[in-house]
Amino acid sequence: MKNRTISLETLLQEGRKFPPSDPFRRQANIQDPDIYQKAAADPEGYWARWARELDWMKPWDQVLEWNPPFAKWFVGGKINASVNCVDRHLSQRQNKVAILWEGETGDTRRFTYGELSEQVNRFANVLKKRGIQRGDRVAIYLPMIPEIVIACLACSRIGAVHSVVFGGFSADSLRDRILDAHAELLVTADFGWRRGKRLFLKQSADGALTQTPSIENVVVVAREGTPSKECPMKGGRDHWWHDEMGKVEASCPPEAIDAEEMLFTLYTSGTTGKPKGIVHTTGGYLTGVYATTKWVFDLKENDVFWCTADIGWVTGHSYVIYGPLANGATVVIYEGAPDWPEKDRFWKIIEKYKVTIFYTAPTAIRAFMKWGAQWVDRADLSSLRLLGSVGEPINPEAWIWYHHYIGKEKCPIVDTWWQTETGCILMTPLPGITTTKPGSATKPFPGIAAEVLNDSGERVEVGGGYVAITKPWPSMLRTLFNDDERYVKQYWSKWKGIYFAGDGVKRDEDGDFWFLGRVDDVLKLAGHRIGTMEVESAFVDHPAVAESAVVGRPHDIKGEAIVAFVTLREPAKPSPELIEELKEHVVKKIGSIARPEEILFTVDLPKTRSGKIMRRLLRDIAVGKALGDTTTLADPSVVEGLKRQYESIEAG
Ligand code: PRX
């Protein structure tokens, strides 16, 4: 088994343990350490208790129907996500702020629950007016502006399925996702800001729309209220958001959605070149995100909750929108980047909005470390009371830095492990109960049955293996969009009836889990998930490329970076210009998150006698390790030559 991201030695050097402080423990939402046994003794009863904290239009008849690997939760129940995130707060929280938004250029907007309700109702009516019906897919390609939340909730109100595509993805990526989901309407914006530049999303979407016949209407948000001149509109198809919103009623009755009807699909990368549409349904997903937000983040009525993730990723779905809003929280949303206009952007936002709970990614924390504590010291962070980490393993140095400089040694840190597929956090400390260890995501959330298993499915009590979830949980993916077969093969065929997550993990003597990175060909680039095959397909799409193999190499800030080995087609010749051209080509095909760090031209790739590319060897070359066994190679000299070439480049 290979673990690329982080070595266990590094993880375990930091031996300190951090029990919850007494003051924190005493006020925590969950203080009972027996909750783990109680939940395990009756998981269905436990999850049903959580589900009862939501508002249902009709109670369920059966908590769980499990035909492995197909699960149905809260069978027969009817519920509406927008009612749970908005309407049900109106009696007590009509004037409570739901969204505090800060644009990159310093513009701000805020929405109370009452105001959010009107916006969601109106946009739901816009969708209906434009022909969207229950079950239809709506693609959302927006910057981090409040309309992204409004659009998602409006879909959920009428039972339409949202498919959010990260605004940093290319036109090609958008096109592929629209086609796979067969989306009928697209919501986009004229532009969004990032690092002082305008990103023209609608222009990019227009590139996709020439090849997406399913899209009948496009609703375009004017980022600055007045339409940008650089935003061509196609008559009959493209409509401005603000025009549409003015023409509809302010009230739209919510649909009573079956617990198992789809809430959204979100595409994520796997080991093939084709991203997969993860399917989440309504009742179980909401139960999972509601419960974890309340206990993991210890959310209270007066908290100001800031999850820095983009809504284009699952973290934004679960912990910017559905989890916090189902709890009636105040959330902060920001547009832009942590280092623009200056490297204290995050700390200024925390000070300005008196953020109490802050949830970000290790890649950001490592960047803050590099920039230095002087940026942190420019702001008053005394409002903070809890910190979270997500997206990749957090190295102990980064954990300690986060604890010391951001948490001022008083805030618990919750290192939360989960996936697009799991819907909500599965492994995490409970901040009022768990003794944390820097680098460990500690224990499964109560009600989650997780194990460490080896290849043959035997339980590893103490030691390394793969993380496995042995019982269904409410917010689990139900399938892959239109692809049950791939769902079964990908997640449920390593061991029968057990979920295979694709992560390497080690359990220590206390039963705590230490995540070690992916064990497949999925990369984590600055926390973003990209499959090596997707990048390889982008390379071979270029006329100069014959073949390519992509591997990840550890990177100080990003966690991992792309190294590509490329063979050229005659008459192309290696050159620095071609390297740049190929990097740009990959960015154009996928998006800037996939920009290769290094490209190495080679006359051949190391292959087994049966013709399979030996990535392990390429990875070894990329990290500068001595080469292991090369006897199965068709031509061992290929790899020796490559290694020498790589070393000479690195040295030069
Ligand atoms: O490898 C694990 C890593 O992120 C993967 C899931 O990526 P994605 O679906 O994009 O969702 C990311 C946000 C939930 C996992 O398979 N991962 C996520 N959180 C952690 C982590 N690895 C270690 N520790 C974490 N806390």
Side-chain angles (χ1 to χ4, degrees):
M1 200 183 85
K2 55 192 191 313
N3 296 310
R4 293 193 312 270
T5 317
I6 202 161
S7 82
L8 197 64
E9 295 79 71
T10 321
L11 277 175
L12 294 178
Q13 266 161 21
E14 169 61 61
R16 273 178 289 170
K17 296 183 181 178
F18 297 82
S21 68
D22 280 336
F24 195 97
R25 188 196 310 267
R26 278 197 296 273
Q27 62 80 59
N29 283 345
I30 174 74
Q31 305 176 18
D32 174 12
D34 293 336
I35 187 64
Y36 291 96
Q37 288 95 304
K38 288 179 189 163
D42 175 19
E44 289 180 33
Y46 162 86
W47 286 118
R49 278 194 295 285
W50 273 119
R52 265 183 232 117
E53 291 192 23
L54 298 173
D55 275 14
W56 291 79
M57 290 154 156
K58 176 181 172 289
W60 55 89
D61 309 311
Q62 190 183 342
V63 176
L64 171 66
E65 191 186 295
W66 181 222
N67 296 309
F70 296 97
K72 288 186 178 165
W73 282 86
F74 311 114
V75 185
K78 301 244 186 245
I79 189 165
N80 184 289
S82 79
V83 167
N84 277 278
C85 292
V86 184
D87 302 36
R88 72 168 177 154
H89 305 309
L90 295 178
S91 60
Q92 306 289 323
R93 302 184 179 112
Q94 167 92 17
N95 297 317
K96 178 176 176 175
V97 176
I99 297 175
L100 290 163
W101 177 80
E102 170 108 2
E104 184 174 274
T105 49
D107 43 348
T108 60
R109 290 160 77 191
R110 59 174 64 201
F111 293 81
T112 62
Y113 273 95
E115 289 160 346
L116 181 61
S117 169
E118 184 184 334
Q119 295 291 312
V120 170
N121 275 267
R122 279 188 187 275
F123 197 63
N125 280 330
V126 171
L127 292 172
K128 286 214 283 203
K129 190 179 125 198
R130 292 293 166 196
I132 295 299
Q133 295 177 1
R134 194 161 160 168
D136 291 348
R137 270 81 54 215
V138 172
I140 299 177
Y141 185 59
L142 282 173
M144 281 291 277
I145 54 177
E147 283 78 5
I148 190 168
V149 179
I150 295 163
C152 288
L153 291 172
C155 288
S156 77
R157 193 162 191 85
I158 61 169
V161 173
H162 58 77
S163 172
V164 178
V165 180
F166 173 55
F169 273 135
S170 65
D172 284 5
S173 303
L174 174 64
R175 176 202 59 206
D176 293 349
R177 286 157 175 77
I178 289 175
L179 288 176
D180 192 80
H182 204 84
E184 290 177 19
L185 185 143
L186 171 70
V187 187
T188 186
D190 48 2
F191 65 89
W193 287 100
R194 189 162 167 92
R195 295 208 172 90
K197 290 207 187 87
R198 289 193 288 174
L199 302 179
F200 294 98
L201 290 175
K202 170 64 167 50
Q203 282 182 14
S204 170
D206 279 338
L209 287 166
T210 55
Q211 297 167 59
T212 53
S214 61
I215 296 282
E216 289 170 8
N217 289 286
V218 180
V219 180
V220 187
V221 181
R223 162 66 182 79
E224 290 180 349
T226 44
S228 151
K229 291 192 192 64
E230 283 120 316
C231 185
M233 301 287 276
K234 184 171 165 188
R237 186 195 68 185
D238 301 349
H239 322 278
W240 288 105
W241 171 292
H242 54 272
D243 287 345
E244 296 283 287
M245 292 288 267
K247 289 190 217 141
V248 292
E249 303 260 308
S251 155
C252 171
E255 293 282 324
I257 303 294
D258 196 278
E260 279 300 329
E261 260 178 84
M262 259 174 94
L263 176 61
F264 66 86
T265 180
L266 180 61
Y267 285 80
T268 191
S269 298
T271 49
T272 73
K274 191 171 171 276
K276 39 197 184 182
I278 303 296
V279 170
H280 283 292
T281 57
T282 308
Y285 172 80
L286 269 186
T287 303
V289 296
Y290 170 81
T292 47
T293 306
K294 189 162 174 180
W295 278 6
V296 174
F297 300 108
D298 192 47
L299 191 69
K300 304 274 170 33
E301 190 60 39
N302 292 326
D303 276 313
V304 177
F305 185 89
W306 186 22
C307 164
T308 66
D310 193 292
I311 290 169
W313 307 101
V314 76
T315 309
H317 283 61
S318 299
Y319 300 105
V320 178
I321 307 182
Y322 291 108
L325 296 184
N327 277 278
T330 298
V331 299
V332 171
I333 299 180
Y334 93 110
E335 175 200 42
D339 57 351
W340 191 273
E342 293 213 79
K343 295 189 171 68
D344 58 0
R345 175 105 196 271
F346 276 15
W347 322 127
K348 285 275 162 66
I349 290 179
I350 291 176
E351 177 182 85
K352 178 170 174 186
Y353 295 108
K354 300 200 166 30
V355 171
T356 58
I357 302 170
F358 178 62
Y359 189 34
T360 197
T363 182
I365 300 168
R366 290 190 296 263
F368 303 142
M369 287 172 77
K370 189 175 141 214
W371 300 336
Q374 73 277 12
W375 293 103
V376 181
D377 295 339
R378 289 179 169 201
D380 174 6
L381 303 186
S382 58
S383 56
L384 287 174
R385 66 179 199 89
L386 185 137
L387 305 175
S389 171
V390 61
E392 53 180 314
I394 179 165
N395 42 314
E397 303 74 23
W399 196 105
I400 293 290
W401 189 92
Y402 200 26
H403 170 70
H404 181 79
Y405 289 102
I406 310 302
K408 314 294 182 199
E409 308 210 341
K410 70 174 172 60
C411 301
I413 295 181
V414 289
D415 172 8
T416 62
W417 177 91
W418 57 294
Q419 308 177 297
T420 310
E421 291 86 341
T422 70
C424 75
I425 294 167
L426 294 196
M427 303 277 181
T428 175
L430 290 176
I433 297 175
T434 314
T435 292
T436 54
K437 301 171 187 169
S440 169
T442 70
K443 298 238 174 0
F445 186 78
I448 299 298
E451 297 286 356
V452 181
L453 299 183
N454 65 15
D455 272 311
S456 25
E458 289 150 3
R459 189 165 186 267
V460 178
E461 205 59 52
V462 175
Y466 306 99
V467 66
I469 316 295
T470 57
K471 287 201 169 77
W473 65 101
S475 68
M476 64 191 266
L477 78 166
R478 297 301 193 262
T479 187
L480 297 177
F481 195 77
N482 278 340
D483 204 346
D484 285 351
E485 201 181 310
R486 189 168 168 207
Y487 165 71
V488 175
K489 186 157 168 273
Q490 180 72 44
Y491 305 103
W492 302 92
S493 51
K494 189 166 179 71
W495 318 288
K496 209 171 159 37
I498 293 177
Y499 175 80
F500 171 69
D503 275 52
V505 69
K506 171 170 163 145
R507 187 156 45 189
D508 69 16
E509 286 75 12
D510 302 327
D512 285 331
F513 286 69
W514 299 75
F515 283 89
L516 303 170
R518 300 283 311 187
V519 296
D520 53 13
D521 292 319
V522 171
L523 304 176
K524 276 283 163 143
L525 311 166
H528 302 320
R529 183 165 157 183
I530 293 287
T532 53
M533 286 274 285
E534 281 167 81
V535 185
E536 288 166 6
S537 314
F539 269 111
V540 296
D541 177 77
H542 189 282
V545 176
E547 197 174 23
S548 88
V550 163
V551 298
R553 178 179 67 190
H555 185 281
D556 287 350
I557 307 285
K558 294 191 212 158
E560 273 189 302
I562 290 177
V563 177
F565 297 84
V566 169
T567 62
L568 293 178
R569 241 181 238 286
E570 293 284 348
K573 293 274 172 296
S575 71
E577 292 73 40
L578 185 55
I579 290 184
E580 280 319 301
E581 190 179 321
L582 291 177
K583 286 184 179 174
E584 279 311 314
H585 184 74
V586 173
V587 168
K588 189 176 155 280
K589 295 301 289 180
I590 302 177
S592 49
I593 52 169
R595 179 184 293 278
E597 170 106 341
E598 197 159 1
I599 295 176
L600 195 82
F601 296 117
T602 167
V603 284
D604 220 341
L605 287 167
K607 295 195 180 138
T608 60
R609 290 191 186 105
S610 62
K612 256 184 90 179
I613 295 176
M614 295 193 71
R615 290 164 193 288
R616 178 182 58 81
L617 291 175
L618 295 175
R619 229 172 343 247
D620 287 352
I621 293 173
V623 298
K625 264 202 238 157
L627 296 177
D629 182 14
T630 57
T631 49
T632 52
L633 277 173
D635 180 2
S637 69
V638 169
V639 77
E640 273 304 332
L642 257 180
K643 185 166 154 58
R644 275 197 303 279
Q645 194 185 342
Y646 191 79
E647 282 164 357
S648 70
I649 288 178
E650 289 287 284

